[in-house]
Amino acid sequence: MAQEPAGNASAAASPYGTLPPASPMATRKPISLPRIQEMHTRGEKITMLTAYDATFAAVADAAGVECILVGDSLGMVCQGLHSTVGVSLQDMAYHTESVARGLRRAQGTAWLIGDLPFGSYQESKEQAIRSASVLMQAGAHMVKLEGGGWTTEVVHFLVERGIPVCAHLGLTPQTVHALGGYRVQGRGDVASEQMKKHALALQDAGATMVVLEMVPAPLSAELTKELPHCATIGIGAGKGTAGQVLVLHDMLGVNLGKNPKFVRNFMLDATSIRGAMEAYVAAVKNGSFPDDSLHAW
């Protein structure tokens, strides 16, 4: 009687999921910039979650999340830092590559965004493209950077060279010390007008997405209407944005501190992590999350 090839036996008994069975073919088309723009145009909410490793990225993709952000928030939830400032470009490349591998292994179709960390793009346009190239080569489809005003030139430089860019306005964690803490941004006529000016300039520079963090809900809704070519993704910015993003650990209720006001723990009514992610996707799509009376300013 012929013996089973050793390779098959080792594959069947492979530990830690290192050689899983082949994944089924993807049931949705790959998410692309044109698809994101189509969703934005027809008013379908865009869902985004952070992920930092292969397994959670694959689960998020299977749960129907359209955009996965490898956020520099990994510094706080994975490395135990007090802010995102200590995260390096090497850290971001490692985690972006891990997430990209997970999506490939699961035949995932999500749009992958990599955060440019503090100090990797502030020096010059040339520094920014070198840093962006590292994340793109690690598997990102798009890079994200924080701030308005001076970043407009950087965004234009990157987009002109074929690198999609997601901007980030409002509370920008990399500059939290300059902002005086984790505070709502864009309150008052002067601050709101400056944010509008920055948002429009970033759209004109070619940014196709912009995260609005801890921005008053009425201002976020107004910006969403004024940015037809740049999808707004809210986090603590109300339900009037084109989409929503949460930090994975926050929405699973496993972070190291108290959940911010804008977070909902989707594990409370779920029986699995994938179930919690699916509930998040459904709640964003049907408009039940966020609830402006609970999660916004």
Side-chain angles (χ1 to χ4, degrees), residues 201-251:
L202 287 164
Q203 176 181 250
D204 291 344
T208 45
M209 301 180 83
V210 56
V211 170
L212 299 177
E213 182 167 358
M214 291 183 68
V215 173
L219 175 57
S220 295
E222 187 176 349
L223 284 170
T224 301
K225 293 178 181 178
E226 294 183 7
L227 298 171
H229 307 299
C230 185
T232 56
I233 307 296
I235 178 167
K239 65 190 302 178
T241 52
Q244 298 291 327
V245 61
L246 283 178
V247 170
L248 175 67
H249 295 63
D250 288 347
M251 61 83 65

Side-chain angles (χ1 to χ4, degrees), residues 7 12 18 41 45 55 59 89 94 99 102 104 126 128 130 184 189 209 211 227 240 249 262 277 283 285 294:
T18 52
T41 300
K45 296 293 186 179
T55 302
V59 175
L89 182 61
Y94 171 84
V99 167
R104 284 195 299 271
E126 291 75 19
R130 287 193 298 271
V184 178
D189 292 342
M209 301 180 83
V211 170
L227 298 171
H249 295 63
F262 53 77
M277 292 180 180
K285 297 288 187 184
L294 299 174

